[in-house]
Amino acid sequence: VLAVLSGHMHMNRVAMWHGIPLVVTMGQQSTVDLTRTDALAVIEGMGFAICDLLPGGLQTTFVPLAEPRVIREIPEERLRAFFS
């Protein structure tokens, strides 16, 4: 196994799993704004990842398809209520 590639996780992410690169991309509908600390903001965020297997390893380029627009926000107080 050279890499595990996946989509539809609502965020871009690269990690190592047992020494194998794991690449996840946001998908074709929405993503999560990880810079927000006051709410869980779901934004319009279509995109994809281009993965190239090079002699030196895996190279991943994330490509957004549109400017993000907020679809829905869940305030921090409501999120904390889930864990109370």
Side-chain angles (χ1 to χ4, degrees):
V1 176
L2 298 175
V4 177
L5 311 175
S6 177
H8 194 83
M9 293 300 296
H10 299 284
M11 66 184 69
N12 293 325
R13 183 169 184 161
V14 177
M16 295 296 285
W17 180 69
H18 298 282
I20 300 169
L22 172 63
V23 179
V24 178
T25 191
M26 65 176 70
Q28 300 298 307
Q29 193 260 342
S30 63
T31 188
V32 176
D33 184 349
L34 297 175
T35 65
R36 295 281 302 272
T37 59
D38 62 324
L40 173 64
V42 178
I43 59 174
E44 205 170 47
M46 300 174 290
F48 60 94
I50 299 172
C51 298
D52 295 305
L53 188 57
L54 304 173
L58 182 69
Q59 173 181 287
T60 303
T61 304
F62 293 102
V63 182
L65 295 177
E67 283 293 316
R69 179 180 64 88
V70 174
I71 296 172
R72 180 167 186 190
E73 287 184 10
I74 301 173
E76 179 184 4
E77 303 81 40
R78 184 164 179 209
L79 289 172
R80 291 190 182 278
F82 289 129
F83 300 103
S84 305

